Amino acid sequence: MAETTFPFLKKASELAHTEPLPDNVIEQLDAICKEAGEATPEGRMIGVLIGSVYTRLNNPD
């Protein structure tokens, strides 16, 4: 159900969990967030995902 209700979140989640992460992963996730609508619940969930990817990139341990 989540795949049909939140298609942009699914796309962002798949990107965020690829190994290795693309060099421009934050920019790609931001673009998906803008497609979803930054102020929508789906956009906000993608924003949280962006924060976790950013933390993972800057705190490798």
Side-chain angles (χ1 to χ4, degrees), residues 32-51:
I32 294 169
C33 183
K34 287 179 179 163
E35 281 183 77
E38 296 168 301
T40 65
E42 185 175 22
R44 291 181 183 142
M45 288 186 274
I46 295 169
V48 171
L49 185 62
I50 292 170

Side-chain angles (χ1 to χ4, degrees), residues 16-56:
H17 290 95
T18 59
E19 288 292 334
L21 288 172
D23 291 336
N24 64 343
V25 66
I26 298 294
E27 291 82 7
Q28 289 183 43
L29 289 170
D30 187 52
I32 294 169
C33 183
K34 287 179 179 163
E35 281 183 77
E38 296 168 301
T40 65
E42 185 175 22
R44 291 181 183 142
M45 288 186 274
I46 295 169
V48 171
L49 185 62
I50 292 170
S52 69
V53 170
Y54 181 85
T55 299
R56 198 167 91 201

